[in-house]
Amino acid sequence: EADEKTVREILRGRDGVDIGAINAPSQTVISGYATSVEEIVRELSARGCAVHELDVSHAFHSAQMDSMLRDFEQHARSVKYDTPQIALISNVTGESWTESASMSDPAAYWTRHVRQAVQFQRGMQTLEKLNPKVYVEIGPNPVLLNMGRMCVRAEGAEWLPSLRAGVSERDQLLQSAARLYALGAKVDWRALTRGATRQVQHALPTYPFQRRRFWIPPSVGTAVTSGLPQAASSSPAGVRLDTAIPTFETTLNLGGVPYLDQHRIGGRAVAPGALMLEMLR
């Protein structure tokens, strides 16, 4: 966790160690002979820089690659190269593929890629100029997404992984594809789900739903009490009649008890059972 300037100062005058990658403003990779690397690591640690050892088989992007470059280039020249169909940004130059003169000789370019430092930070800054709305990492774990966030501002941009450790590969892929589709990207769903069991649903309407409300309009009226006391028009229980058997009488009107209009069956206001229980109470 140190910037390029700090690392270059430490490497000045030392043999056997090169900058392997510039991944972010405060993330620089060094590569070379183990004893020399360990010495530099101790010095960086003494300065308070956190250090993480990468699990790699060779010291890529360092002088240790020099002995294989000639054979590599010969093999690279046996490969047929086509013009890219999408915009590419070089990890060697940090520039777009079309703007870099080195792309005129692909075999030489890939040979340089083996030896020179990876310019990931510069490439992300070039990509930022295209004003992307979503970044997708194609890889087994979203390591580059975390580094990419440190290289660009990208306010409001989406960062999507294709795969993620500890998560079902299919689930993660479908989640990211669904999010891409929701953001307006074109997704070939048949290719994505080829070989999987699926059920095709009927297409939803392609027009926006008509935003109309369907609340039941309040009734307008005047309570009718039929000569009963005023309490009868507002109290569900009503008034007790002068009879031998306890009898109550009341008149319910939607104007006097408007909440009854909210309980409808078949379009008609019906007294709910809870009202009967309240009257008994």
Side-chain angles (χ1 to χ4, degrees):
E1 294 183 1
D3 58 55
E4 179 185 1
K5 181 180 179 181
T6 300
V7 175
R8 289 197 182 279
E9 290 176 354
I10 295 178
L11 295 183
R12 186 177 296 115
R14 301 175 187 260
D15 295 327
V17 180
D18 296 292
I19 289 183
I22 303 170
N23 290 332
S26 60
Q27 282 198 6
T28 308
V29 178
I30 60 174
S31 180
Y33 291 97
T35 54
S36 299
V37 170
E38 290 169 358
E39 180 182 346
I40 295 171
V41 165
R42 286 193 295 269
E43 185 172 343
L44 286 169
S45 299
R47 295 191 182 192
C49 299
V51 180
H52 176 71
E53 183 178 354
L54 300 179
D55 184 15
V56 294
S57 59
H58 294 74
F60 299 108
H61 309 290
S62 78
Q64 288 196 26
M65 297 291 101
D66 289 347
S67 61
M68 56 81 72
L69 293 180
R70 179 176 298 179
D71 292 340
F72 180 88
E73 184 172 1
Q74 289 180 356
H75 183 74
R77 293 196 180 282
S78 68
V79 177
K80 181 180 180 298
Y81 299 92
D82 289 328
T83 302
Q85 300 301 306
I86 62 174
L88 295 179
I89 295 175
S90 167
N91 261 346
V92 174
T93 65
E95 302 172 355
S96 67
W97 184 279
T98 55
E99 295 174 354
S100 177
S102 62
M103 302 307 180
S104 59
D105 187 350
Y109 168 79
W110 289 112
T111 303
R112 289 178 57 198
H113 201 298
V114 174
R115 179 63 178 87
Q116 296 185 6
V118 175
Q119 298 290 339
F120 181 79
Q121 177 185 344
R122 189 180 302 171
M124 286 298 299
Q125 292 169 345
T126 300
L127 178 60
E128 184 182 19
K129 296 177 183 178
L130 301 177
N131 194 30
K133 301 302 181 184
V134 57
Y135 296 82
V136 181
E137 177 174 353
I138 302 177
N141 210 30
V143 177
L144 299 181
L145 290 184
N146 295 329
M147 293 194 303
R149 289 188 180 97
M150 294 186 283
C151 298
V152 299
R153 298 180 183 88
E155 296 180 2
E158 295 270 352
W159 301 80
L160 302 176
S162 56
L163 298 174
R164 186 188 296 275
V167 180
S168 166
E169 294 180 359
R170 177 175 173 78
D171 290 348
Q172 181 60 68
L173 186 63
L174 290 177
Q175 287 176 15
S176 293
R179 185 56 185 156
L180 275 174
Y181 181 76
L183 292 170
K186 183 179 180 180
V187 178
D188 187 345
W189 294 106
R190 291 187 179 276
L192 185 64
T193 59
R194 184 176 292 121
T197 302
R198 63 182 185 271
Q199 181 177 357
V200 179
Q201 301 291 339
H202 292 293
L204 292 173
T206 56
Y207 56 86
F209 289 100
Q210 296 175 347
R211 299 185 178 279
R212 296 172 55 194
R213 296 179 177 274
F214 290 91
W215 294 108
I216 300 175
S219 298
V220 179
T222 303
V224 179
T225 59
S226 300
L228 295 175
Q230 182 63 29
S233 63
S234 58
S235 174
V239 295
R240 181 171 179 173
L241 301 180
D242 186 17
T243 58
I245 300 176
T247 304
F248 292 82
E249 184 179 54
T250 187
T251 299
L252 300 178
N253 181 278
L254 298 182
V257 193
Y259 60 82
L260 292 179
D261 197 29
Q262 299 175 14
H263 186 265
R264 287 175 171 265
I265 298 178
R268 301 182 61 183
V270 178
L275 175 65
M276 307 300 180
L277 295 176
E278 174 64 20
M279 294 175 69
L280 290 175
R281 186 177 67 85

